[in-house]
Amino acid sequence: ETNKLYCTSVKCCIFELKAELNSDKKEKKKEAVKKVIASMTVGKDVSALFPDVVNCMQTDNLELKKLVYLYLMNYAKSQPDMAIMAVNTFVKDCEDPNPLIRALAVRTMGCIRVDKITEYLCEPLRKCLKDEDPYVRKTAAVCVAKLHDINAQLVEDQGFLDTLKDLISDSNPMVVANAVAALSEISESHPNCNLLDLNPQSINKLLTALNECTEWGQIFILDCLANYTPRDDRESQSICERVTPRLSHANSAVVLSAVKVLMKFMEMLPKDLDYYGTLLKKLAPPLVTLLSAEPELQYVALRNINLIVQKRPEILKHEMKVFFVKYNDPIYVKLEKLDIMIRLASQANIAQVLAELKEYATEVDVDFVRKAVRAIGRCAIKVEQSAERCVSTLLDLIQTKVNYVVQEAIVVIKDIFRKYPNKYESVIATLCENLDSLDEPEARAAMIWIVGEYAERIDNADELLESFLEGFHDESTQVTTQQNTQVLHKHTQNTPDSDNPDLRDRGYIYWRLLSTDPVAAKEVVLAEKPLISEETDLIEPTLLEELICHIGSLASVYHKPPNAFVEGSRGVQHKRLPARTASGESAESPDAGQSVGGVSDAPPAVIPSQGDLLGDLLNLDLAPPSASVPVVPASMQMGVDLLGGGLDSLVGLHRPSGSQYLSGDIGGSPIAVGLAGGTGGMPAGLGGTPAMGGGLGDLFDLGGGVGMATGSYVPPKAVWLPAMKAKGLEISGTFARRGGGIHMDLSLTNNAMSIMTDFAIQFNRNSFGLAPAGPLQVLTPLAQNQTIDVSLPLNTNGPIMKMEPLNNLQVAVKNNIDVFYFSCQYPISLLFVEDGKMDRQVFLATWKDIPSENETQYQIKDFHLNSDAASTKLQGSNVFTVAKRTVDAQDLLYQSIKLTNGIWALAELRIQSITPNYMLALKCRAPEVSQYICQCYELLLRN
Amino acid sequence: MISQVFILSSQGDHLIYKDCILMHYSQENSLDLYLKLVGITILLSVQCPQRNKNLNFIHVRHSGLYWVVSTKDNPSPFTIIEFLNRLAALTKDYCGSLSEKSVRMNFALIYELLDEMVDYGYIQTTSTDILKNFIQTEAVTSKPFSLFDLSNVGLFGAETQQSKVAPSAAASRPIVASHGEQVRKNEIFVDVVERLSVVIGSNGVLMKADVEGEIRVKCYLPTCSEMRIGLNEEFSIGKSQLRGYGAAVRVDECSFHQAVKLDEFDTYRILKVCPSQGEQTLMQYQLSDELPCAPPFRLFPTVEKDYGSRLLIFLKLRCDLPPKRYLTFVGISQTVARALLLFSLSQELSSPEQSAELQPRSKAVLWTIPRFPGGAQLSAVFKVEVPRLSSASLLEVGPISMSFELPKYTCTGLQVRFLRLSPTQPGLSQRWVRYVTHSDSYTIRI
């Protein structure tokens, strides 16, 4: 009962309910149980009523019985001993003449996860599995899966699995569907024992049941069929024929499950077969129909279509128009449609597509406009005939002078230049006019590339590059990398003195190269650039195959294999498409060549989609870049994954779609990255250069800085509740953040004449949802004049209510004498979390993104710490310094803070060496927290 | 499969919470935590599924309530969205109407429904025919149903301003009559609802026109008898097929509810179905690119740069429908400038019941016309003050989009010829057939 100190009414509520539950009148009882369930729904604890509710169980009123069972399912686990009281009634109900009651009993018993009850469940379950009523049988079938989850051994010992297998041949399709569903679930935890035992006979049974089932049953059966591998193309065709009618079902889930089966089995059909063509034609209309559904469904459909288009572009090649964006589509639907439009773009429809894209580029939504501009560039690269028109469209857009449109256009024009060198240089003059408006790193990098590349045609290329160099220290990594290479391009030998080790190393490498062997250096820097790929961000083929096997599931929406996001996915069961049978082998497979990354054979090599600075570095020592690139088996992909994240943060690439800017110059390839990270088996040439190894180490160290949770500031304890206000109990306390957790450190002093026991604590709703993570541990009674120190762990999962001030916390403490209330304030630094270090790039973008209304300025006076000391001090309390700049004898620290509820605060701390005052500028999307953060700064710095 | 089912109010309060696989996650750990991170309003603008702490959340929104499912493994989001839509429809069928209040009042009934619909996360059934055998609880309605109460007149399902077509309040009562109710009204409603999306290019050429339509039935007949719905005999499906001699009514693609029997469809265009109680969509169809009639509107826009920094927009709008037809509620919006923050608007409209306003958030002018008869022509002049107007700004004057509603009209020409119940229902049975076309996305480019 200590749970609800704030709602004293609950107690009397429970008292009243108790009386009503024990009433003689049936109606009154029913109403009482309803009230109990209503309280349960809103999260009130009504477990105290367990015995009274169980008493209502023995009734012939089905409505009341159902309500009681609903209650039982929720509370049985917390009251296992009491739950036993219900067993007799359950067992009796399983014998009831009314099939509804039998089913209800067996359904509920399976949901009570109490070991003792499962023993009693076996006999009734066995009977129910063979019940004459199909409703009881189908409920019992699911119950086997429930029991298996509680006690797998028991299910096997009792032979329930065999009974379940028998149910697959049941006369009632609902029973079949549930049996299939239960067996599929159970077999996932036993990958080896072939529970479902799919063979032509059982498949035939399933296909028959398919026609009679409810729509939901059809989904189970189709999903089960998809796991079967037909023996040959004829069997495959006959299954396809029987599944095809499902494509016109009104339920989209049935349609997608059917599409999955067909996409998988089609793989086995020879392509010259007439039926293959027919099937392709049949697949398009249901997919198109999905796009007229509500946006939620459209989005998941589009994600699936994206996969299908990559695997078999021929299915939807004539349906371009349905992917045109509607003005009232939500943004997430628009972006997906755009992606598919590009994939479907071909010479036949390019004019139409371009006209659309140009319209989109004038819309209001910035993200969408950017993507539309990029799409124009991708069209140019994909369909050569359209390149000229694309370039002129882009120039039109540049004329609008809308800042982000111009920048985006320049980025894609760079890609077009790379794909079609020496063709469209006439536009360079227009691009140079817009030099000043470029403020995004990617656009600047692109512009530098263009200037460097076409230096001989631009009269003042030196000047232009020079002007970019001026801001070298302020530039982000990607721009400087580009500058570096381009400056080298011009053979200007001034190696910049940058503080980014990664860049510096790169600069040195070039410099050494240049000084030792200018010829080799020229070869490296000015080497042939790999051609830009036609299709960007294609899904890697083996992953695509696996995802095709998961069409219609969450995996197909996330574009990730299920084991990447399903918790404890048992074993790694990668699904594969079936191999084509001998008869189909001869057939051409035009799509295969297209979707392979093009690693193995010759040009055009694909531009990697991951950042590959490391690749560049490694390649330098490995071999001249023109040397053939080794073939990487698919398994190496793991290495890229492992490293991908780290690289991203190192190099600052956050926009995979536009990551071509770094590569190219040296011919870096994703393979190099794979080699370095995946196996540790670096080529000998590399291992021999310790300097390089060190450089790599440095690179990795950069990511550090997390996990330093020590040294957080703890304010001294203050008296929160004086003894005179609390009948002799004095409470003083403070808050501390230790080891990533929040603690409330309390000292309880007994100034009264009697012993205090039965302590409990509760918080009122507060701004950040602080709540005790466990009970207040005062194990021994508190004697007179005794003080006890307790540390109460807190979490932030409690209910939320905005407090004034924001960091106010109202606390109730109970003991054997009374309940006492007090309020206290916690420093907001308590809520700064350990992973609050923001990446530089993100920081920069976020800082720009937060409107200036949300910026607040504070002055911290009389302060004499240098910037490093301040930075260390703040770091101890999870205020992370992202970057530091020194301008005019001022140190500028850029810092990020993340609160437990995910709010970020960005700070610029200005430390002047002349005056002892700090200036703090805070930007936060929730500006109301700013003043509290500022208070904390002061507090943290002064202590 | 499904781990938890929630029904949330628009403020994010739990109205219904069911833990299907007994994870014994406290509510705090899952949805609330997620919502705390993102806020309830974000559900309006994000795609689902969303992922948080090993749980995937899928949500839909109906009648201002959020219907959410969480799941741990890798189920089909299609299944779950369809399920949530069905759950919302069934809740509406059983409770009469869908609102926070009706859900709160009928929580016991909804729990009972959920118990029968989902077992251990597996969806069992969503058909009223099967469910009615199990459901014991009676619906609680806030006030007794009265035919004369026209306060909530509206076509069920479609969000519309249409009124006085049928006593539509009849369509918002529970499908199962409570025992207290004396008169059981045997009614059946058949609605043909079409959504029109059109793109007209800047040169006035029709670039794209699609119609998505459906035939919905809401049935209050207690006993299931066969219903025959006759469609136009010249109704044809697919590109090449043509039937009859009259003007063809053609669609590209059709899909049917699985209960529909199609043995007489090919020859006589008759749908046979034993309708379950409640609401169902019997048939869905699409037509793209070839409308049998001209689009209902033509618009002649001119955009000029006036002296100084003023933008002049003339709009002339003509309705090409026959004079007997009319449109209810036409809203026209046009993006005027996107990069500029300050501007002001003056307007000249042709009738006082129209209105026009500048919408700062979407940077668009919204022109509202409450009723627009066929054959009529309306015009408007907008003068927009745009600081620092350049010729490039003219490029930013965006497309015009229109939203409207056309009662008693279908774009494809699809009609219900007859509606027969066999055997003839004992007692009074009323049959209603209603048509409406509304805009989905009607865009005119400039």
Side-chain angles (χ1 to χ4, degrees):
Chain A
E1 272 84 345
T2 56
N3 259 340
K4 292 295 156 193
L5 298 176
Y6 280 95
C7 177
T8 44
S9 66
V10 167
K11 226 186 245 176
C12 54
C13 247
I14 287 191
F15 188 73
E16 267 172 33
L17 283 171
K18 223 180 179 78
E20 282 177 40
L21 284 171
N22 292 313
S23 152
D24 302 332
K25 290 191 187 111
K26 213 182 261 175
E27 274 307 307
K28 204 157 194 183
K29 261 189 185 176
K30 200 160 79 185
E31 283 313 306
V33 180
K34 275 192 187 175
K35 280 184 203 161
V36 171
I37 289 171
S39 320
M40 200 170 85
T41 303
V42 295
K44 284 186 194 152
D45 183 6
V46 282
S47 57
L49 292 168
F50 200 91
D52 307 283
V53 178
V54 170
N55 273 339
C56 302
M57 204 169 148
Q58 286 184 3
T59 170
D60 45 4
N61 182 319
L62 197 52
E63 189 184 349
L64 179 56
K65 198 176 264 277
K66 279 187 167 180
L67 290 168
V68 173
Y69 279 8
L70 190 64
Y71 176 90
L72 275 180
M73 279 192 256
N74 255 293
Y75 285 115
K77 185 142 192 191
S78 58
Q79 313 252 340
D81 296 331
M82 301 253 229
I84 295 295
M85 289 165 50
V87 162
N88 276 332
T89 321
F90 275 130
V91 175
K92 214 175 101 214
D93 280 354
C94 288
E95 310 261 325
D96 198 280
N98 183 346
L100 292 189
I101 293 184
R102 293 201 295 275
L104 183 63
V106 82
R107 183 169 74 204
T108 313
M109 263 180 112
C111 290
I112 298 180
R113 302 172 65 96
V114 176
D115 281 341
K116 284 182 198 155
I117 285 203
T118 50
E119 296 167 23
Y120 295 95
L121 178 60
C122 291
E123 272 325 296
L125 179 59
R126 198 187 315 284
K127 273 185 204 152
C128 287
L129 280 167
K130 304 225 158 100
D131 200 286
E132 53 178 22
D133 192 289
Y135 180 68
V136 180
R137 289 203 300 275
K138 72 126 189 161
T139 312
V142 174
C143 189
V144 175
K146 292 177 189 168
L147 189 59
H148 185 269
D149 194 40
I150 307 170
N151 190 341
Q153 197 56 45
L154 185 70
V155 170
E156 281 173 48
D157 296 348
Q158 296 280 334
F160 284 139
L161 293 182
D162 294 323
T163 325
L164 207 51
K165 278 187 211 165
D166 294 343
L167 286 183
I168 291 189
S169 319
D170 199 281
S171 58
N172 183 295
M174 282 270 264
V175 180
V176 179
N178 275 3
V180 168
L183 279 174
S184 306
E185 164 134 351
I186 294 172
S187 65
E188 263 179 51
S189 53
H190 298 275
N192 300 323
C193 69
N194 185 14
L195 270 181
L196 270 164
D197 188 28
L198 295 174
N199 54 47
Q201 288 76 37
S202 62
I203 289 292
N204 200 28
K205 271 184 215 156
L206 289 180
L207 285 167
T208 316
L210 186 62
N211 295 324
E212 295 157 9
C213 255
T214 68
E215 47 198 319
W216 311 107
Q218 294 184 11
I219 299 169
F220 300 142
I221 293 181
L222 285 169
D223 286 348
C224 176
L225 278 178
N227 290 329
Y228 176 66
T229 309
R231 285 162 309 173
D232 52 32
D233 52 344
R234 281 179 50 200
E235 191 187 5
S236 180
Q237 178 174 346
S238 83
I239 295 176
C240 285
E241 276 165 359
R242 293 178 72 177
V243 168
T244 317
R246 298 297 124 209
L247 288 176
S248 56
H249 201 284
N251 186 326
S252 65
V254 177
V255 175
L256 259 290
S257 291
V259 169
K260 169 164 62 183
V261 174
L262 295 176
M263 283 293 284
K264 203 174 161 187
F265 289 6
M266 252 172 111
E267 209 54 29
M268 295 184 67
L269 298 178
K271 290 203 167 180
D272 45 4
L273 195 70
D274 285 346
Y275 181 70
Y276 180 83
T278 326
L279 202 52
L280 278 183
K281 279 201 196 91
K282 282 194 175 153
L283 276 169
L287 294 175
V288 170
T289 306
L290 290 174
L291 295 181
S292 54
E294 66 268 28
E296 290 91 3
L297 218 50
Q298 268 189 57
Y299 173 76
V300 283
L302 285 165
R303 294 290 283 177
N304 278 284
I305 290 174
N306 201 328
L307 294 176
I308 293 171
V309 165
Q310 287 185 55
K311 182 75 190 158
R312 299 193 180 279
E314 62 272 31
I315 293 178
L316 287 165
K317 66 182 172 196
H318 298 304
E319 304 291 345
M320 176 58 99
K321 268 193 172 180
V322 298
F323 298 104
F324 286 176
V325 170
K326 291 182 188 168
Y327 87 100
N328 54 351
D329 282 336
I331 179 71
Y332 53 87
V333 169
K334 285 185 177 176
L335 294 176
E336 279 308 313
K337 280 188 175 174
L338 209 51
D339 209 48
I340 295 173
M341 275 171 71
I342 316 262
R343 295 199 194 286
L344 288 178
S346 66
Q347 202 184 335
N349 54 24
I350 194 75
Q352 220 181 2
V353 173
L354 267 183
E356 280 294 305
L357 291 177
K358 198 178 171 186
E359 285 293 333
Y360 301 163
T362 62
E363 286 215 13
V364 182
D365 191 294
V366 176
D367 283 340
F368 181 57
V369 171
R370 283 176 181 274
K371 186 134 189 192
V373 176
R374 284 205 179 219
I376 297 176
R378 277 171 69 185
C379 282
I381 289 163
K382 194 170 175 201
V383 185
E384 186 163 0
Q385 294 81 353
S386 74
E388 191 152 351
R389 206 169 336 165
C390 292
V391 171
S392 78
T393 310
L394 288 170
L395 284 180
D396 284 352
L397 291 173
I398 288 178
Q399 298 301 339
T400 63
K401 304 271 179 200
V402 179
N403 186 288
Y404 53 87
V405 175
V406 173
Q407 311 213 34
E408 211 63 44
I410 286 185
V411 172
V412 297
I413 285 182
K414 180 211 67 184
D415 289 344
I416 296 175
F417 279 179
R418 290 182 52 196
K419 167 85 182 179
Y420 310 110
N422 305 321
K423 217 169 162 188
Y424 299 109
E425 296 74 43
S426 52
V427 307
I428 290 175
T430 325
L431 301 185
C432 289
E433 285 165 22
N434 292 289
L435 223 52
D436 300 334
S437 61
L438 305 184
D439 54 8
E440 287 164 24
E442 204 183 343
R444 287 175 72 91
M447 196 63 213
I448 294 170
W449 186 89
I450 294 171
V451 172
E453 198 63 24
Y454 292 96
E456 69 276 21
R457 299 178 203 210
I458 306 173
D459 301 334
N460 58 347
D462 292 20
E463 261 171 57
L464 291 177
L465 277 182
E466 204 67 28
S467 75
F468 278 116
L469 267 179
E470 277 164 21
F472 192 82
H473 280 283
D474 300 341
E475 294 287 6
S476 62
T477 326
Q478 67 182 86
V479 182
T480 34
T481 316
Q482 195 62 263
Q483 280 176 346
N484 220 339
T485 34
Q486 292 306 337
V487 168
L488 277 159
H489 243 132
K490 298 223 72 202
H491 294 269
T492 31
Q493 278 196 24
N494 58 342
T495 306
D497 186 17
S498 165
D499 57 3
N500 181 335
D502 172 21
L503 249 187
R504 197 176 50 217
D505 285 355
R506 200 177 151 123
Y508 280 138
I509 291 169
Y510 286 148
W511 187 71
R512 285 202 192 113
L513 260 175
L514 280 171
S515 53
T516 49
D517 186 357
V519 183
K522 194 172 173 193
E523 229 169 71
V524 170
V525 181
L526 296 179
E528 197 66 27
K529 287 158 281 294
L531 286 174
I532 194 151
S533 79
E534 303 203 341
E535 293 275 348
T536 42
D537 49 69
L538 275 175
I539 295 176
E540 189 268 329
T542 46
L543 176 61
L544 181 62
E545 267 200 15
E546 191 179 352
L547 291 178
I548 290 284
C549 297
H550 287 288
I551 275 183
S553 74
L554 281 179
S556 69
V557 180
Y558 293 141
H559 288 185
K560 281 181 192 160
N563 57 330
F565 64 91
V566 178
E567 194 183 1
S569 50
R570 307 112 173 171
V572 190
Q573 265 188 303
H574 287 288
K575 292 198 179 173
R576 283 286 147 83
L577 289 176
R580 208 160 296 159
T581 45
S583 58
E585 211 103 72
S586 58
E588 293 298 316
S589 58
D591 53 326
Q594 196 174 349
S595 53
V596 167
V599 247
S600 51
D601 43 25
V606 176
I607 297 293
S609 59
Q610 277 289 338
D612 58 343
L613 187 60
L614 208 56
D616 281 2
L617 284 171
L618 295 177
N619 257 2
L620 277 178
D621 274 24
L622 273 175
S626 50
S628 66
V629 183
V631 181
V632 174
S635 61
M636 291 296 288
Q637 193 63 25
M638 285 298 289
V640 179
D641 282 352
L642 278 175
L643 227 109
L647 267 180
D648 270 2
S649 60
L650 282 176
V651 189
L653 298 181
H654 289 277
R655 310 182 53 179
S657 59
S659 51
Q660 293 119 357
Y661 43 79
L662 272 179
S663 51
D665 305 306
I666 321 236
S669 68
I671 291 106
V673 179
L675 280 175
T679 56
M682 292 188 187
L686 242 185
T689 45
M692 277 302 289
L696 276 177
D698 282 355
L699 291 180
F700 286 108
D701 271 350
L702 270 181
V706 185
M708 299 169 64
T710 49
S712 138
Y713 166 68
V714 179
K717 277 184 183 168
V719 176
W720 285 340
L721 183 70
M724 53 184 291
K725 275 194 176 174
K727 301 185 180 166
L729 174 67
E730 186 186 276
I731 300 181
S732 56
T734 185
F735 294 93
R737 192 170 180 92
R738 285 191 295 265
I742 306 171
H743 297 267
M744 186 183 204
D745 294 336
L746 294 167
S747 295
L748 308 173
T749 309
N750 183 356
N751 291 338
M753 300 309 287
S754 57
I755 293 174
M756 293 180 177
T757 54
D758 301 340
F759 284 94
I761 193 164
Q762 176 116 35
F763 295 175
N764 197 3
R765 298 167 170 231
N766 55 74
S767 317
F768 293 92
L770 279 176
L776 187 62
Q777 298 281 350
V778 183
L779 298 172
T780 50
L782 194 58
Q784 292 101 310
N785 294 326
Q786 194 192 345
T787 301
I788 188 166
D789 290 332
V790 207
S791 177
L792 177 71
L794 308 182
N795 60 30
T796 51
N797 303 335
I800 291 182
M801 183 171 75
K802 194 173 174 189
M803 300 297 289
E804 191 54 50
L806 212 56
N807 57 348
N808 200 18
L809 182 67
Q810 295 178 337
V811 184
V813 170
K814 191 202 85 143
N815 63 10
N816 56 335
I817 301 169
D818 204 348
V819 182
F820 311 106
Y821 301 91
F822 64 89
S823 65
C824 53
Q825 290 174 11
Y826 47 94
I828 210 158
S829 58
L830 193 66
L831 306 169
F832 296 175
V833 294
E834 279 68 28
D835 61 343
K837 180 153 183 161
M838 205 180 242
D839 183 90
R840 258 180 221 222
Q841 294 290 312
V842 182
F843 184 91
L844 203 67
T846 318
W847 183 273
K848 275 191 205 153
D849 201 39
I850 300 178
S852 49
E853 303 96 88
N854 284 10
E855 181 171 335
T856 28
Q857 302 266 2
Y858 301 95
Q859 196 172 32
I860 305 174
K861 284 185 179 155
D862 291 328
F863 219 70
H864 302 277
L865 269 182
N866 68 17
S867 60
D868 288 342
S871 173
T872 327
K873 216 163 194 180
L874 290 168
Q875 169 126 359
S877 294
N878 297 336
V879 178
F880 297 99
T881 304
V882 176
K884 182 185 160 186
R885 270 172 70 189
T886 309
V887 180
D888 304 335
Q890 284 188 9
D891 281 344
L892 295 171
L893 294 180
Y894 295 94
Q895 299 176 316
S896 70
I897 295 164
K898 186 180 170 194
L899 300 187
T900 43
N901 56 356
I903 293 179
W904 286 89
L906 309 183
E908 181 194 71
L909 190 61
R910 200 179 278 257
I911 301 171
Q912 288 156 324
S913 45
I914 324 153
T915 60
N917 294 343
Y918 281 18
M919 285 300 301
L920 177 66
L922 274 174
K923 265 192 169 185
C924 180
R925 288 192 206 276
E928 52 273 37
V929 303
S930 294
Q931 61 160 304
Y932 300 97
I933 293 180
C934 172
Q935 283 169 11
C936 279
Y937 260 87
E938 189 142 10
L939 203 64
L940 295 175
L941 289 168
R942 290 197 194 279
N943 290 286
Chain B
M1 289 302 296
I2 294 172
S3 303
Q4 298 161 303
V5 182
F6 303 84
I7 304 178
L8 305 178
S9 74
S10 53
Q11 280 79 43
D13 302 329
H14 293 241
L15 303 179
I16 297 287
Y17 162 65
K18 182 163 169 63
D19 186 350
C20 294
I21 57 164
L22 277 285
M23 304 193 291
H24 291 287
Y25 272 154
S26 74
Q27 298 181 25
E28 308 292 327
N29 277 338
S30 57
L31 184 74
D32 285 359
L33 190 70
Y34 167 63
L35 291 179
K36 208 183 290 173
L37 278 173
V38 297
I40 185 88
T41 46
I42 203 149
L43 291 185
L44 286 176
S45 59
V46 296
Q47 73 273 23
C48 55
Q50 289 283 318
R51 196 165 161 67
N52 184 50
K53 295 222 169 157
N54 301 321
L55 280 178
N56 307 290
F57 293 97
I58 294 175
H59 66 266
V60 298
R61 197 161 174 264
H62 286 284
S63 308
L65 304 175
Y66 296 96
W67 308 70
V68 188
V69 155
S70 79
T71 125
K72 284 202 294 186
D73 51 359
N74 180 30
S76 155
F78 295 93
T79 313
I80 289 169
I81 294 173
E82 292 274 0
F83 165 75
L84 287 173
N85 288 339
R86 227 56 80 78
L87 174 63
L90 278 171
T91 310
K92 193 176 161 198
D93 282 346
Y94 271 88
C95 305
S97 62
L98 209 52
S99 67
E100 189 175 332
K101 194 175 166 201
S102 68
V103 171
R104 272 191 206 279
M105 281 195 304
N106 288 297
F107 71 93
L109 171 63
I110 296 171
Y111 276 125
E112 203 185 347
L113 276 172
L114 271 172
D115 257 347
E116 298 297 339
M117 288 166 72
V118 195
D119 190 4
Y120 196 51
Y122 297 118
I123 301 168
Q124 300 295 304
T125 182
T126 51
S127 138
T128 45
D129 287 337
I130 300 178
L131 284 171
K132 72 180 173 196
N133 300 322
F134 310 128
I135 301 301
Q136 308 289 326
T137 317
E138 271 178 27
V140 188
T141 42
S142 51
K143 52 185 175 212
F145 163 71
S146 150
L147 194 61
F148 305 105
D149 175 19
L150 292 173
S151 59
N152 52 351
V153 169
L155 194 56
F156 61 84
E159 286 172 18
T160 112
Q161 275 76 27
Q162 181 193 18
S163 58
K164 300 176 194 74
V165 178
S168 317
S172 58
R173 60 189 163 112
I175 49 166
V176 182
S178 65
H179 299 301
E181 205 174 306
Q182 292 293 310
V183 193
R184 291 178 145 210
K185 285 189 73 73
N186 292 334
E187 285 182 305
I188 190 152
F189 296 79
V190 174
D191 286 4
V192 181
V193 182
E194 294 192 344
R195 290 181 293 160
L196 178 67
S197 35
V198 165
V199 179
I200 297 172
S202 49
N203 49 2
V205 174
L206 186 65
M207 293 171 70
K208 187 184 158 204
D210 294 339
V211 181
E212 290 154 7
E214 56 191 34
I215 299 180
R216 291 189 208 146
V217 167
K218 183 148 185 175
C219 172
Y220 285 103
L221 306 175
T223 48
C224 173
S225 64
E226 193 181 68
M227 176 171 71
R228 289 150 58 90
I229 304 175
L231 306 179
N232 318 39
E233 282 191 54
E234 56 274 21
F235 182 77
S236 62
I237 302 167
K239 303 264 182 212
S240 53
Q241 197 188 3
L242 269 184
R243 294 167 65 100
Y245 304 101
V249 175
R250 195 186 67 79
V251 298
D252 290 338
E253 198 56 48
C254 254
S255 62
F256 300 93
H257 190 278
Q258 66 172 2
V260 178
K261 280 178 256 158
L262 296 169
D263 47 332
E264 287 185 50
F265 185 73
D266 276 342
T267 19
Y268 303 111
R269 295 304 185 211
I270 292 171
L271 301 171
K272 288 203 294 191
V273 64
C274 296
S276 321
Q277 283 183 309
E279 198 177 320
Q280 288 144 315
T281 301
L282 291 190
M283 173 173 141
Q284 287 169 296
Y285 55 89
Q286 279 107 47
L287 171 65
S288 46
D289 284 339
E290 286 173 54
L291 285 189
C293 55
F297 286 109
R298 267 189 293 163
L299 184 95
F300 307 95
T302 348
V303 181
E304 277 172 20
K305 197 180 145 191
D306 206 1
Y307 53 88
S309 58
R310 199 154 63 167
L311 206 59
L312 266 184
I313 304 171
F314 299 98
L315 297 180
K316 197 164 74 178
L317 187 62
R318 188 187 294 161
C319 178
D320 288 337
L321 293 170
K324 272 188 197 165
R325 304 272 173 216
Y326 63 91
L327 293 120
T328 53
F329 179 74
V330 183
I332 297 157
S333 64
Q334 178 177 28
T335 323
V336 283
R338 57 181 168 183
L340 305 163
L341 286 172
L342 284 168
F343 39 86
S344 62
L345 169 83
S346 64
Q347 66 206 42
E348 290 167 27
L349 302 174
S350 50
S351 114
E353 58 194 36
Q354 302 169 22
S355 65
E357 60 180 340
L358 200 62
Q359 297 195 308
R361 280 191 64 200
S362 54
K363 289 169 184 156
V365 176
L366 176 67
W367 178 19
T368 314
I369 305 161
R371 190 184 159 99
F372 197 168
Q377 179 168 312
L378 298 177
S379 59
V381 182
F382 301 107
K383 293 173 188 153
V384 190
E385 233 19 92
V386 183
R388 278 175 290 134
L389 186 75
S390 67
S391 51
S393 313
L394 281 182
L395 292 173
E396 288 186 28
V397 177
I400 295 171
S401 58
M402 310 178 66
S403 50
F404 56 84
E405 218 173 84
L406 242 169
K408 300 190 234 171
Y409 183 80
T410 53
C411 274
T412 51
L414 184 75
Q415 300 274 329
V416 174
R417 273 189 299 143
F418 59 81
L419 191 62
R420 279 186 207 129
L421 300 169
S422 58
T424 325
Q425 286 284 307
L428 182 73
S429 69
Q430 282 174 314
R431 291 162 293 168
W432 303 96
V433 180
R434 305 180 287 188
Y435 303 95
V436 68
T437 295
H438 50 108
S439 58
D440 183 13
S441 156
Y442 197 99
T443 314
I444 297 158
R445 288 178 178 160
I446 289 198

